[in-house]
Amino acid sequence: MPDKFQKELQEAVAQVRGLLEDLKQLGVVEVPMEAEPAAQPLCSLDGRDSAIGCRLETLEEIRDDLGDCQRCGLSKGREQIVFGAGSATARLVLVGEAPGRKEDQQGVPFVGEAGALLERILFAMGLKREDVYICNIQKCRPPKNRDPLPEEVAACVPFLKRQLAALQPQVIVTLGSLASQTLLATSTPIGGLRGHWQNYAGIAVMPTYHPAFLLRNPAAKREVWEDMKQVMTRLRQGIR
């Protein structure tokens, strides 16, 4: 071993020995090592956590957790889970009620006649389907398109709330009675809710009629357009 290297090694050993003696005199019995960075905890789902010290779930993580869902009886009759579709950075989220037959077949929300009407409404707002995020209270189609049962909603709505927590949109539009009453935890009829700003976890909510209702009652389109004009104003202003 070269004399220079041996000397440097002896000096390093001496420095370490001196450091250990100093620590011993101080009463230090264990030298703390640098810990592995802790996994950042997920933010809670009620929307009250700040972004500091926690991270939001991703839509992919929520979909993975949903898996091949068997949490209620609707799983027995479905063809596909209809999780949601659109932009993961959307400022506007539209929440419907439950998938219909075509949605069940394709695994995409709002692809039937009601979906075509919804796309026309979005076009009038200067938006496209891919600019927003669309999902439902229920992820599986109820038989014969009946309303979901309370226990079915209870099994499914936590995943919707996790989606909304992940998306953190500026505005939510709830389409129809079930979506509006479930998300807002109210029994007020949709006729009394629509057109009036509500709040969910700090996010502005505009309840309005479901596009399927508009197909049966075309005169109500004018009221929905008044609601959407309020939504457009809020989006332009950039306020929640």
Side-chain angles (χ1 to χ4, degrees):
M1 181 181 294
D3 291 345
K4 182 179 178 182
F5 179 77
Q6 186 174 14
K7 184 178 179 180
E8 290 175 350
L9 179 61
Q10 289 172 343
E11 289 176 353
V13 170
Q15 289 174 359
V16 171
R17 184 179 292 114
L19 175 60
L20 292 174
E21 285 295 328
D22 289 340
L23 293 174
K24 182 178 179 180
Q25 290 174 4
L26 291 169
V28 176
V29 296
E30 183 178 354
V31 179
M33 303 299 291
E34 183 175 350
E36 288 290 326
Q40 199 173 20
L42 292 172
C43 297
S44 66
L45 306 179
D46 58 11
R48 290 195 293 265
D49 274 340
S50 70
I52 300 174
C54 67
R55 70 171 181 86
L56 297 174
E57 287 184 289
T58 65
L59 293 172
E60 290 79 10
E61 288 172 328
I62 300 166
R63 180 64 185 89
D64 288 344
D65 189 31
L66 181 63
D68 183 26
C69 185
Q70 307 289 322
R71 292 171 179 83
C72 78
L74 292 181
S75 61
K76 296 179 175 62
R78 71 163 183 248
E79 289 193 32
Q80 295 194 64
I81 290 174
V82 183
F83 180 70
S87 171
T89 59
R91 293 192 299 145
L92 174 62
V93 173
L94 299 106
V95 180
E97 300 185 343
R101 181 176 60 84
K102 290 186 178 180
E103 288 81 6
D104 183 45
Q105 292 172 339
Q106 298 184 36
V108 180
F110 283 89
V111 293
E113 287 184 77
L117 177 54
L118 181 61
E119 289 184 4
R120 291 196 293 273
I121 293 171
L122 289 172
F123 179 79
M125 297 171 69
L127 297 168
K128 301 184 294 293
R129 175 183 278 263
E130 51 266 34
D131 297 326
V132 303
Y133 192 85
I134 306 174
C135 52
N136 286 306
I137 292 289
Q138 207 71 42
K139 308 301 184 195
C140 297
R141 180 195 180 199
K144 299 180 180 179
N145 292 346
R146 64 160 171 78
D147 287 341
L149 302 175
E151 59 268 27
E152 295 164 350
V153 172
C156 215
V157 78
F159 288 95
L160 169 67
K161 292 182 177 181
R162 288 168 64 180
Q163 286 174 287
L164 296 175
L167 289 159
Q168 290 290 297
Q170 183 182 336
V171 176
I172 299 169
V173 172
T174 50
L175 302 167
S177 296
L178 179 69
S180 302
Q181 292 173 343
T182 299
L183 197 63
L184 299 173
T186 182
S187 59
T188 303
I190 185 62
L193 291 171
R194 63 140 298 271
H196 303 286
W197 285 109
Q198 309 290 329
N199 183 282
Y200 168 76
I203 303 171
V205 179
M206 175 56 72
T208 195
Y209 294 127
H210 194 284
F213 175 81
L214 300 182
L215 292 174
R216 301 189 300 270
N217 302 273
K221 291 180 182 178
R222 185 179 298 274
E223 294 172 277
V224 170
W225 183 239
E226 291 301 317
D227 300 341
M228 294 304 100
K229 286 196 292 186
Q230 291 194 62
V231 171
M232 288 189 292
T233 297
R234 197 149 194 146
L235 290 172
R236 280 197 301 267
Q237 292 175 344
I239 59 174
R240 286 187 176 269

